[in-house]
């Protein structure tokens, strides 16, 4: 993670900017191709966009984002005469004649949506091999590129970091952002860009690219993903340079035990997010990763690992409601990962509950107030000053029946009212609220003074 058409205006228009980085009041909502489609292609992307316009745009989901591979692969990445990545024409034929993504972005904008894609740090490896010129300078790619040890540890030889002390390095990033301006890009997801296993050179590339964005002609959502383990201190450094940032590894449809290469799970997220809740500030959001809901994976032979074969999410709908509740109460962006063409009504219901989306828009300064082996209680303030949010998470495989002493958590609640967001049920008034939750089911209460 998303209340209705008003949020489209909030997300797309009412942006307060530090220079031209987007600083929205509501964490971005949208769709990313990686979990289900991979690099996608022009036809599929437009099909997804059309569905988003009908089904999700009224709920504030307005970003269509193509993930890694839109340029081809590391071995055959498409670049222009100035060493900048270009779309693979086999998948994006409208990019021919140096149009790039402009024609596709125009069609998506005409639907009232925003368009973005994946990139990473530095300069393409192929640009260095071909020693392409740096636009507007007398220098070439080999003058600014660092050595091959600076390639992404898990995506080798797509790009190399550049030496930001060289006079042409900022000019290169400026030329990349100039190209994105021409295409009409709204969101950039920059991956393998910061973290414990990357060097100060990579961090300098983040600084340089952010500087180019802040000198651009458009307003960008700058979304950061890590190259390794991230600390709260690192996120604080990133915060003035980006709109949103991830600190956790890739998240897939696993409740307790993640995949070997991606050990994240729902349970682990509860542990990890408690370290980072203080990082979220107005206009900057801690990103818990995409929502692996609906139909995800790859329809191909030999599919394995975290991405896996084509499947409906392994998370039950109760577990998905838990994910949506946690993401919402901590103001995480809501970026759907499933193939929207395959959604059933239950899939739509999970991500379009207006009261839950209200919480994602209005919750502030969430924290874990109670953590037991069987359940957790989280509390958040609200931008609506007359209320709070209280979430109860059943973390066990059996029914949970308990009473929460709300006044102990919110001293002013000697007599508060409680409305549960998922069901709309009024739980009455008082200093406590009782719940009976099925296995892995959450409750999300709007708490107001009665």
């Amino acid at each position: 993670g998303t209340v209705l058409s008003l949020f489209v205006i909030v997300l797309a228009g009412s942006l307060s900017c530090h220079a031209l980085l987007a600083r929205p009041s509501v964490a971005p909502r949208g769709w990313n191709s990686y979990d289900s489609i991979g690099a996608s292609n022009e036809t599929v992307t437009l099909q997804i966009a059309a569905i988003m316009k009908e089904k999700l745009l009224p709920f504030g989901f307005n970003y269509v984002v193509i993930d890694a591979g839109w340029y081809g692969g590391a071995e055959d990445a498409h670049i222009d005469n100035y060493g900048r990545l270009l779309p693979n024409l086999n998948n994006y034929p409208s990019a021919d004649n140096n149009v790039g993504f402009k024609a596709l972005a125009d069609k998506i904008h005409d639907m009232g949506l925003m368009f973005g894609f994946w990139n990473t740090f530095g300069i393409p490896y192929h640009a260095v091999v071909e020693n392409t010129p740096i636009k507007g300078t007398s220098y070439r790619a080999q003058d600014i590129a660092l050595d091959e040890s600076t390639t992404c540890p898990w995506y080798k030889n797509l790009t190399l970091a550049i030496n930001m002390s060289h006079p042409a390095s900022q000019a290169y990033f400026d030329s990349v952002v100039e190209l994105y301006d021409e295409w009409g890009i709204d969101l950039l997801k920059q991956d393998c860009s910061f973290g414990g296993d990357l060097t100060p050179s990579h961090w300098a590339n983040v600084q340089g690219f952010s500087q180019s964005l802040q000198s651009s002609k458009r307003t960008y959502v700058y979304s950061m993903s890590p190259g390794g383990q991230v600390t709260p201190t690192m996120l604080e450094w990133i915060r003035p340079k980006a709109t949103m940032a991830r600190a956790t590894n890739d998240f897939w449809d696993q409740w307790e035990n993640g995949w070997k290469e991606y050990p994240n799970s729902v349970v682990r997220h509860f542990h990890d997010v408690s370290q980072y809740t203080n990082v979220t500030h107005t206009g900057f959001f801690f990103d818990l990763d995409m929502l692996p809901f609906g139909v995800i994976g790859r329809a191909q032979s030999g599919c394995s690992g975290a991405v896996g074969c084509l499947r409906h999410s392994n998370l039950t709908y109760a577990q998905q409601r838990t994910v949506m509740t946690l993401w919402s109460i901590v103001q995480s962006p809501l970026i759907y990962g499933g193939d929207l063409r395959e959604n059933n009504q239950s899939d739509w219901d999970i991500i379009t509950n207006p009261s839950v989306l209200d919480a994602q828009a209005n919750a502030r300064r969430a924290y874990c107030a109670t953590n037991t082996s069987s359940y957790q209680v989280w509390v958040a303030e609200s931008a609506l000053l007359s209320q709070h949010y209280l979430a109860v998470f059943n973390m066990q495989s059996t029914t949970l029946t308990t009473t929460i002493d709300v006044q102990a958590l919110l001293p002013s609640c000697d007599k508060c009212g409680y409305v549960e967001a998922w069901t709309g049920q009024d739980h009455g008034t008082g200093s406590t609220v009782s719940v009976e939750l099925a296995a892995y089911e959450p409750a999300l209460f709007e708490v107001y003074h009665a």
Side-chain angles (χ1 to χ4, degrees):
T2 94
V3 168
L4 297 179
S5 55
L6 169 64
F7 281 163
V8 178
I9 299 171
V10 171
L11 285 165
S14 299
L15 302 173
S16 60
C17 301
H18 173 65
L20 290 175
L21 287 182
R23 297 296 184 197
S25 59
V26 177
R29 303 173 189 162
W31 173 86
N32 180 290
S33 67
Y34 184 73
D35 284 2
S36 54
I37 311 295
S40 194
N41 60 57
E42 194 159 336
T43 300
V44 171
T45 301
L46 289 172
Q47 289 173 349
I48 294 290
I51 296 169
M52 282 189 66
K53 176 184 178 181
E54 177 189 356
K55 294 283 193 176
L56 291 180
L57 185 58
F59 296 91
F61 289 78
N62 63 338
Y63 285 98
V64 179
V65 182
I66 299 169
D67 213 274
W70 53 267
Y71 39 79
E75 301 79 13
D76 60 351
H78 295 243
I79 60 173
D80 71 1
N81 292 335
Y82 294 114
R84 303 171 296 187
L85 288 173
L86 292 177
N88 178 354
L89 295 180
N90 291 328
N91 289 336
Y92 297 96
S94 71
D96 203 1
N97 299 316
N98 295 318
V99 172
F101 271 132
K102 178 170 173 46
L104 178 59
D106 285 348
K107 290 180 180 179
I108 289 173
H109 290 153
D110 286 345
M111 298 183 197
L113 301 167
M114 302 288 199
F115 178 60
F117 58 73
W118 181 102
N119 74 357
T120 188
F121 63 82
I123 187 168
Y125 181 80
H126 283 289
V128 179
V129 171
E130 298 178 17
N131 203 22
T132 54
I134 307 302
K135 186 177 181 182
T137 78
S138 60
Y139 296 100
R140 291 182 172 268
Q142 291 177 12
D143 295 320
I144 66 171
L146 294 172
D147 63 43
E148 293 185 15
S149 69
T150 64
T151 192
C152 177
W154 47 263
Y155 201 155
K156 294 185 181 299
N157 297 332
L158 176 63
T159 63
L160 302 176
I162 63 178
N163 175 12
M164 291 308 300
S165 65
H166 192 282
S169 292
Q170 194 65 54
Y172 175 74
F173 280 149
D174 288 347
S175 77
V176 171
V177 172
E178 178 185 43
L179 183 66
Y180 296 170
D181 285 349
E182 293 170 0
W183 290 353
I185 305 306
D186 305 295
L187 180 150
L188 290 170
K189 174 187 174 181
Q190 191 165 81
D191 213 340
C192 194
S193 51
F194 72 106
D197 62 348
L198 297 179
T199 69
S201 295
H202 296 93
W203 292 76
N205 278 224
V206 171
Q207 174 77 41
F209 194 80
S210 179
Q211 182 176 320
S212 292
L213 288 177
Q214 295 184 51
S215 302
S216 64
K217 297 177 181 178
R218 297 182 61 79
T219 298
Y220 288 88
V221 167
Y222 190 20
S223 171
M224 308 290 292
S225 289
Q229 187 59 41
V230 174
T231 65
T233 300
M234 292 177 186
L235 278 186
E236 288 289 352
W237 184 87
I238 287 290
R239 182 165 60 88
K241 302 167 184 65
T243 311
M244 53 192 269
R246 250 178 59 208
T248 58
N249 214 320
D250 285 10
F251 171 58
W252 285 92
D253 51 335
Q254 301 295 303
W255 173 257
E256 188 166 10
N257 299 309
W259 299 94
K260 180 180 179 181
E261 65 270 44
Y262 298 117
N264 256 351
S265 63
V266 179
V267 171
R268 183 161 175 168
H269 260 86
F270 274 92
H271 172 268
D272 290 346
V273 73
S274 61
Q275 304 176 58
Y276 300 107
T277 51
N278 290 333
V279 175
T280 294
H281 293 265
T282 301
F284 177 81
F285 303 95
F286 171 52
D287 179 12
L288 295 183
D289 204 10
M290 293 171 284
L291 301 166
F293 299 168
V295 174
I296 57 177
R298 304 286 188 269
Q300 62 191 40
S301 60
C303 48
S304 62
V307 176
C309 298
L310 202 64
R311 64 193 181 279
H312 203 278
S313 178
N314 288 316
L315 297 173
T316 67
Y317 285 118
Q319 292 169 342
Q320 291 178 43
R321 283 187 287 273
T322 287
V323 170
M324 277 290 292
T325 301
L326 179 63
W327 267 232
S328 295
I329 202 169
V330 301
Q331 290 181 275
S332 173
L334 298 175
I335 308 297
Y336 196 79
D339 185 344
L340 297 179
R341 299 171 300 175
E342 304 293 334
N343 270 17
N344 60 40
Q345 188 56 49
S346 295
D347 296 326
W348 292 120
D349 290 345
I350 289 286
I351 57 170
T352 59
N353 181 296
S355 296
V356 175
L357 297 178
D358 270 341
Q360 191 250 1
N362 295 312
R364 302 289 188 270
R365 291 175 282 279
Y367 67 96
C368 180
T370 304
N371 184 4
T372 75
S373 60
S374 56
Y375 70 94
Q376 292 190 21
V377 178
W378 286 64
V379 176
E381 299 173 18
S382 173
L384 307 175
L385 298 180
S386 61
Q387 70 179 41
H388 285 77
Y389 292 100
L390 183 144
V392 184
F393 298 97
N394 182 6
M395 307 299 290
Q396 61 188 6
S397 60
T398 57
T399 299
L400 170 72
T401 303
T402 191
T403 297
I404 308 300
D405 184 350
V406 180
Q407 190 174 14
L409 305 176
L410 300 171
S412 62
C413 269
D414 56 330
K415 186 180 181 182
C416 279
Y418 310 92
V419 176
E420 206 286 312
W422 285 105
T423 62
Q425 182 180 353
D426 189 331
H427 282 243
T429 61
S431 62
T432 65
V433 64
S434 296
V435 295
E436 181 174 334
L437 300 174
Y440 307 119
E441 193 73 60
L444 175 60
F445 292 102
E446 300 168 6
V447 182
Y448 61 93
H449 290 282

